[in-house]
Amino acid sequence: MFDYKLLAALAAVIEQAGFERAAQVLGLSQSAVSQRIKLLEARVGQPVLMRVTPPAPTEIGRRLLNHVQQVRLLERDLQGQVPALDEGGLPERLRVALNADSLATWWAKAVGEFCAERQVLLDLVVEDQDVGLKRMRAGEVAACVCAGAQPVAGARCVALGAMRYRALASPAFVARHFVGGVDAASLARAPAIVFGPDDQLQHRFLAAQGGGPSFIYHLCPSSEGFVRLTSGGLGWGLVPELQVQGELSRGELVELLPGRVIDVPLYWHHWRTGGELLAQLTGHVTGRAGQWLVPLTSG
């Protein structure tokens, strides 16, 4: 039998990115949390954590995290059927990995009603849509929104739709950098804005115009900041059309190559044995995402 106090310590260290904050969440001393991790490692006969900053799970640690995530959700279902088992009476907290652009646009509208009605708290882990699935593999989240369609072992994947991106810049930026028109060469010379090291949207857009992988760019790991930098004339970038309808209508941003868009597919991944709450959230998200996302194209 598992000792779930030990598993709770492992989950807290990963979710809180360290022993000190894990101890605060668990109401224990840092030393006590460390001792529980050591005891867990002694029982499984190998390390469950890599002692790096922040701590990362080993392969066996990931398997244990996957298990404890699913047990938490199943326990919540049982508490609903047997209320006396609910010691704290606190709302359930669901840990979900989500890309920043979804968070900045459609996500709140899609899940707000669900969380209010079912008293669910969200613990959101913000990741690029191309890499968010690694949180599922690590057992750190119960579900994620990402661009990959291949589910991890023990999980299911449902298509949500696609987020449409347009290449935008401020009128002043266009006048300064694209006097002779917009093409692959002028795009590579003009400063772009890239969300982060994993963001390949600008690279894909340049490639579609016949350009190469080399161009100059600012790095801005914030969806809101990305739009502000673009509107402020610092660079051009691929921006979700959902996020900038006001800026486009007011003329603060203009499209560089009208009609040439990039549609990024988004998929909802969730554990198969995640219990009733996760199944209900899955139905809610998949039933509403189409109000804001464009349909996926085949091929």
Side-chain angles (χ1 to χ4, degrees):
M1 290 289 292
F2 285 119
D3 185 335
Y4 284 95
K5 289 183 179 179
L6 306 185
L7 293 180
L10 173 63
V13 170
I14 295 299
E15 292 170 1
Q16 299 301 320
F19 284 81
E20 182 177 353
R21 291 177 60 187
Q24 294 172 358
V25 168
L26 295 172
L28 300 170
S29 67
Q30 190 170 334
S31 175
V33 174
S34 180
Q35 287 300 317
R36 289 189 180 186
I37 296 297
K38 290 178 181 178
L39 181 55
L40 178 61
E41 291 178 327
R43 291 188 179 180
V44 300
Q46 57 186 294
V48 298
L49 283 176
M50 292 181 282
R51 268 63 171 185
V52 295
T53 303
T58 62
E59 178 59 34
I60 188 64
R62 283 193 290 270
R63 294 181 185 180
L64 292 172
L65 284 167
N66 289 343
H67 176 75
V68 75
Q69 279 278 348
Q70 294 172 63
V71 166
R72 286 173 176 174
L73 291 167
L74 294 173
E75 282 182 347
R76 198 255 187 197
D77 292 347
L78 188 57
Q79 288 167 357
Q81 300 167 20
V82 188
L85 294 176
D86 188 357
E87 297 178 356
L90 296 175
E92 183 61 34
R93 184 179 296 276
L94 274 177
R95 191 167 170 85
V96 176
L98 182 72
N99 63 307
D101 287 342
S102 289
L103 181 59
T105 53
W106 63 273
W107 173 256
K109 297 175 184 176
V111 303
E113 180 182 345
F114 178 90
C115 292
E117 289 182 353
R118 290 165 177 78
Q119 293 186 309
V120 174
L121 300 176
L122 295 177
D123 185 354
L124 297 177
V125 178
V126 180
E127 288 281 13
D128 188 87
Q129 63 263 11
D130 291 324
V131 297
L133 200 57
K134 71 180 183 182
R135 297 288 190 168
M136 288 283 290
R137 291 192 185 97
E140 297 176 40
V141 298
C144 78
V145 175
C146 72
Q150 183 63 41
V152 302
R156 289 194 176 98
C157 173
V158 183
L160 296 176
M163 182 169 285
R164 176 158 290 173
Y165 288 78
R166 299 185 182 274
L168 306 177
S170 71
F173 186 87
V174 172
R176 186 163 59 249
H177 291 279
F178 301 114
V179 177
V182 180
D183 56 21
S186 60
L187 284 169
R189 289 193 302 267
I193 303 173
V194 172
F195 186 85
D198 298 309
D199 179 13
Q200 294 294 307
L201 285 180
Q202 282 67 218
H203 301 73
R204 288 171 54 189
F205 187 79
L206 274 171
Q209 316 315 316
S214 298
F215 60 97
I216 59 174
Y217 56 86
H218 304 278
L219 281 173
C220 179
S222 160
S223 290
E224 292 79 6
F226 197 106
V227 172
R228 290 187 181 183
L229 291 187
T230 309
S231 300
L234 275 76
W236 68 273
L238 272 293
V239 186
E241 64 178 9
L242 281 173
Q243 194 176 2
V244 290
Q245 293 172 350
E247 287 84 351
L248 286 170
S249 65
R250 295 190 298 268
E252 296 171 9
L253 289 173
V254 295
E255 194 167 3
L256 297 181
L257 292 170
R260 301 189 191 181
V261 301
I262 289 184
D263 288 344
V264 174
L266 293 178
Y267 299 88
W268 174 254
H269 294 257
H270 63 99
W271 294 119
R272 285 198 191 105
T273 55
E276 183 180 354
L277 178 66
L278 188 56
Q280 290 173 347
L281 177 60
T282 294
H284 193 90
V285 171
T286 56
R288 286 161 176 75
Q291 297 178 35
W292 301 280
L293 302 178
V294 300
L296 288 175
T297 57
S298 59

